[in-house]
Amino acid sequence: MIKVKQLNVRGLDYNFSYLVFDEVSRDAAIIDPCGDVSVIRKALEDAKPLSPKYILITHGHHDHVSGLKDVLSFFDAAVAAHPECAAGHSINLADRQQLSFGGIFIEVLYAPGHSPDGVLYRMSDDSALFTGDTLFIDCCGYCLPRAMFNTMRNVIFPLAGSNIVYSGHDYGAVPFRNLGEEKRLNPYLATDDFDKFREELKKL
Ligand SMILES: [Fe+2]
Protein backbone atom coordinates (compact mmCIF):
# COMPACT_ATOMS: atom_id res chain seq x y z
CA MET A 1 0.00 0.00 0.00
CA ILE A 2 1.12 3.50 -0.83
CA LYS A 3 0.85 6.00 2.00
CA VAL A 4 0.66 9.76 1.48
CA LYS A 5 1.35 12.30 4.21
CA GLN A 6 0.14 15.78 3.35
CA LEU A 7 2.44 18.15 5.20
CA ASN A 8 1.25 21.58 6.16
CA VAL A 9 4.59 23.37 5.83
CA ARG A 10 2.89 26.76 5.46
CA GLY A 11 5.75 28.36 3.48
CA LEU A 12 5.11 31.59 1.61
CA ASP A 13 1.43 30.90 1.03
CA TYR A 14 -0.10 27.85 2.74
CA ASN A 15 2.20 25.51 0.85
CA PHE A 16 1.97 21.74 1.05
CA SER A 17 4.88 19.34 0.85
CA TYR A 18 4.25 15.61 0.66
CA LEU A 19 5.86 12.43 1.89
CA VAL A 20 4.90 9.33 -0.08
CA PHE A 21 6.08 5.85 0.83
CA ASP A 22 5.41 2.22 0.07
CA GLU A 23 4.58 0.30 3.25
CA VAL A 24 6.28 -2.89 2.06
CA SER A 25 9.47 -1.80 0.26
CA ARG A 26 9.72 1.42 2.32
CA ASP A 27 10.62 3.34 -0.87
CA ALA A 28 10.01 7.01 -0.09
CA ALA A 29 9.63 10.23 -2.05
CA ILE A 30 9.24 13.84 -1.01
CA ILE A 31 7.31 16.15 -3.28
CA ASP A 32 8.06 19.90 -3.33
CA PRO A 33 10.33 20.31 -0.29
CA CYS A 34 9.48 23.78 1.00
CA GLY A 35 8.31 25.89 3.88
CA ASP A 36 8.99 24.72 7.41
CA VAL A 37 11.44 21.89 6.78
CA SER A 38 11.18 20.68 10.38
CA VAL A 39 7.67 19.44 9.53
CA ILE A 40 9.17 17.26 6.78
CA ARG A 41 11.91 16.00 9.06
CA LYS A 42 9.35 15.04 11.72
CA ALA A 43 7.21 13.15 9.16
CA LEU A 44 10.27 11.18 8.06
CA GLU A 45 11.09 10.33 11.67
CA ASP A 46 7.54 9.14 12.30
CA ALA A 47 7.55 6.88 9.22
CA LYS A 48 10.94 5.23 9.80
CA PRO A 49 12.44 3.07 8.40
CA LEU A 50 12.38 4.59 4.92
CA SER A 51 14.51 4.20 1.83
CA PRO A 52 14.90 7.65 0.19
CA LYS A 53 14.29 7.28 -3.53
CA TYR A 54 13.22 10.61 -5.05
CA ILE A 55 12.65 14.25 -4.42
CA LEU A 56 10.03 15.20 -6.99
CA ILE A 57 9.58 18.81 -8.06
CA THR A 58 6.25 19.86 -9.61
CA HIS A 59 7.80 23.10 -10.95
CA GLY A 60 10.65 25.39 -10.07
CA HIS A 61 8.87 28.34 -8.48
CA HIS A 62 10.78 29.34 -5.40
CA ASP A 63 8.04 28.60 -2.89
CA HIS A 64 8.01 24.93 -4.01
CA VAL A 65 11.74 24.30 -3.78
CA SER A 66 12.77 26.61 -0.95
CA GLY A 67 13.61 23.63 1.31
CA LEU A 68 15.44 21.53 -1.28
CA LYS A 69 18.96 22.07 0.03
CA ASP A 70 17.97 21.46 3.65
CA VAL A 71 15.95 18.35 2.87
CA LEU A 72 18.82 16.85 0.84
CA SER A 73 20.96 17.04 3.98
CA PHE A 74 18.78 14.43 5.70
CA PHE A 75 16.97 12.73 2.78
CA ASP A 76 19.62 11.61 0.29
CA ALA A 77 17.60 10.99 -2.86
CA ALA A 78 17.72 11.75 -6.59
CA VAL A 79 16.04 15.05 -7.45
CA ALA A 80 13.67 14.83 -10.43
CA ALA A 81 12.19 17.74 -12.38
CA HIS A 82 11.35 18.94 -15.87
CA PRO A 83 14.48 19.82 -17.88
CA GLU A 84 13.55 23.53 -17.83
CA CYS A 85 13.26 23.63 -14.04
CA ALA A 86 15.87 26.02 -12.63
CA ALA A 87 16.23 24.13 -9.34
CA GLY A 88 19.17 21.76 -9.25
CA HIS A 89 18.13 18.24 -10.22
CA SER A 90 19.74 15.05 -11.52
CA ILE A 91 16.80 13.37 -13.29
CA ASN A 92 15.42 15.23 -16.34
CA LEU A 93 11.84 14.07 -16.63
CA ALA A 94 10.01 13.36 -19.88
CA ASP A 95 6.26 13.26 -20.42
CA ARG A 96 4.76 9.84 -19.51
CA GLN A 97 8.04 8.69 -17.96
CA GLN A 98 7.61 5.96 -15.37
CA LEU A 99 9.63 6.10 -12.17
CA SER A 100 9.80 2.76 -10.36
CA PHE A 101 8.52 3.00 -6.81
CA GLY A 102 7.78 0.10 -4.49
CA GLY A 103 5.68 -2.42 -6.39
CA ILE A 104 4.23 0.23 -8.68
CA PHE A 105 5.50 3.28 -10.57
CA ILE A 106 5.03 7.01 -10.55
CA GLU A 107 3.92 8.40 -13.90
CA VAL A 108 5.16 11.84 -14.95
CA LEU A 109 2.62 13.95 -16.83
CA TYR A 110 3.80 17.11 -18.56
CA ALA A 111 1.37 19.89 -17.63
CA PRO A 112 2.26 23.33 -18.99
CA GLY A 113 0.02 26.32 -18.30
CA HIS A 114 1.02 27.62 -14.88
CA SER A 115 4.69 27.33 -15.81
CA PRO A 116 6.60 25.83 -18.75
CA ASP A 117 8.30 23.33 -16.44
CA GLY A 118 5.09 22.04 -14.80
CA VAL A 119 4.63 18.31 -14.26
CA LEU A 120 2.10 16.18 -12.40
CA TYR A 121 2.90 12.93 -10.64
CA ARG A 122 0.39 10.08 -10.74
CA MET A 123 0.72 6.92 -8.67
CA SER A 124 0.16 4.06 -11.13
CA ASP A 125 -2.44 2.42 -8.87
CA ASP A 126 -4.57 5.58 -9.39
CA SER A 127 -4.53 6.37 -5.68
CA ALA A 128 -2.98 9.84 -5.85
CA LEU A 129 -2.21 12.70 -8.22
CA PHE A 130 0.18 15.48 -7.21
CA THR A 131 -0.70 18.62 -9.10
CA GLY A 132 1.54 21.44 -7.81
CA ASP A 133 0.12 24.80 -8.91
CA THR A 134 -1.65 23.39 -11.97
CA LEU A 135 -4.82 22.11 -10.29
CA PHE A 136 -5.92 23.29 -6.87
CA ILE A 137 -8.99 22.11 -5.02
CA ASP A 138 -11.78 24.33 -6.42
CA CYS A 139 -9.48 26.40 -8.67
CA CYS A 140 -6.28 26.43 -10.71
CA GLY A 141 -3.02 28.35 -10.79
CA TYR A 142 -2.32 31.59 -12.64
CA CYS A 143 -1.68 30.58 -16.20
CA LEU A 144 -1.45 31.00 -19.93
CA PRO A 145 -5.10 30.27 -20.73
CA ARG A 146 -4.77 28.08 -23.83
CA ALA A 147 -1.96 25.93 -22.45
CA MET A 148 -3.75 25.45 -19.13
CA PHE A 149 -7.05 24.60 -20.81
CA ASN A 150 -5.29 21.94 -22.88
CA THR A 151 -3.70 20.52 -19.75
CA MET A 152 -7.07 20.42 -17.95
CA ARG A 153 -8.92 18.74 -20.83
CA ASN A 154 -6.29 16.48 -22.34
CA VAL A 155 -4.03 15.56 -19.44
CA ILE A 156 -6.05 15.72 -16.21
CA PHE A 157 -9.69 15.15 -17.14
CA PRO A 158 -9.12 11.68 -18.68
CA LEU A 159 -7.48 10.36 -15.48
CA ALA A 160 -9.31 8.02 -13.11
CA GLY A 161 -11.63 9.63 -10.58
CA SER A 162 -10.14 7.52 -7.79
CA ASN A 163 -6.97 9.62 -7.71
CA ILE A 164 -6.84 11.90 -4.68
CA VAL A 165 -5.83 15.37 -5.84
CA TYR A 166 -2.95 16.67 -3.73
CA SER A 167 -2.07 20.21 -4.76
CA GLY A 168 0.70 22.62 -3.89
CA HIS A 169 -1.30 25.03 -1.75
CA ASP A 170 -4.13 24.80 0.75
CA TYR A 171 -6.56 27.03 -1.19
CA GLY A 172 -9.72 24.95 -1.37
CA ALA A 173 -12.71 24.24 0.86
CA VAL A 174 -10.94 21.00 1.81
CA PRO A 175 -7.21 20.12 1.72
CA PHE A 176 -7.71 17.27 -0.78
CA ARG A 177 -10.49 15.61 -2.73
CA ASN A 178 -10.77 12.78 -5.23
CA LEU A 179 -10.49 13.67 -8.89
CA GLY A 180 -13.98 12.35 -9.67
CA GLU A 181 -15.47 14.99 -7.38
CA GLU A 182 -13.06 17.61 -8.63
CA LYS A 183 -14.12 17.02 -12.24
CA ARG A 184 -17.66 17.86 -11.13
CA LEU A 185 -16.97 20.69 -8.66
CA ASN A 186 -13.95 22.55 -10.01
CA PRO A 187 -15.13 24.99 -12.73
CA TYR A 188 -11.67 25.10 -14.32
CA LEU A 189 -11.66 21.35 -14.80
CA ALA A 190 -15.37 20.78 -15.40
CA THR A 191 -15.81 22.91 -18.51
CA ASP A 192 -14.98 21.75 -22.01
CA ASP A 193 -15.61 25.27 -23.36
CA PHE A 194 -12.52 27.43 -23.70
CA ASP A 195 -14.48 30.71 -23.53
CA LYS A 196 -16.07 29.64 -20.24
CA PHE A 197 -12.67 28.62 -18.95
CA ARG A 198 -11.26 32.02 -19.86
CA GLU A 199 -14.17 33.75 -18.09
CA GLU A 200 -13.47 31.71 -14.95
CA LEU A 201 -9.85 32.82 -15.02
CA LYS A 202 -10.95 36.40 -14.38
CA LYS A 203 -11.99 35.28 -10.89
CA LEU A 204 -8.48 34.22 -9.91
FE1 LIG B 1 3.90 28.22 -8.84
Side-chain angles (χ1 to χ4, degrees), residues 173-195:
V174 292
F176 56 84
R177 188 187 278 142
N178 74 51
L179 183 60
E181 290 285 284
E182 206 58 27
K183 287 182 198 179
R184 203 165 55 78
L185 297 173
N186 186 322
Y188 301 91
L189 187 59
T191 186
D192 60 1
D193 180 326
F194 179 61
D195 291 329

Side-chain angles (χ1 to χ4, degrees), residues 61-129:
H61 287 168
H62 176 70
D63 60 320
H64 291 256
V65 296
S66 61
L68 179 56
K69 198 161 163 267
D70 285 348
V71 167
L72 275 170
S73 71
F74 54 83
F75 187 83
D76 185 18
V79 180
H82 186 272
E84 287 180 42
C85 176
H89 59 279
S90 55
I91 302 176
N92 272 325
L93 298 172
D95 188 30
R96 309 285 162 171
Q97 187 170 343
Q98 299 179 355
L99 301 167
S100 67
F101 189 77
I104 65 165
F105 62 86
I106 300 170
E107 185 185 40
V108 177
L109 297 166
Y110 183 46
H114 172 69
S115 65
D117 65 344
V119 295
L120 317 176
Y121 297 101
R122 180 185 70 88
M123 308 310 291
S124 65
D125 62 357
D126 280 322
S127 61
L129 178 70

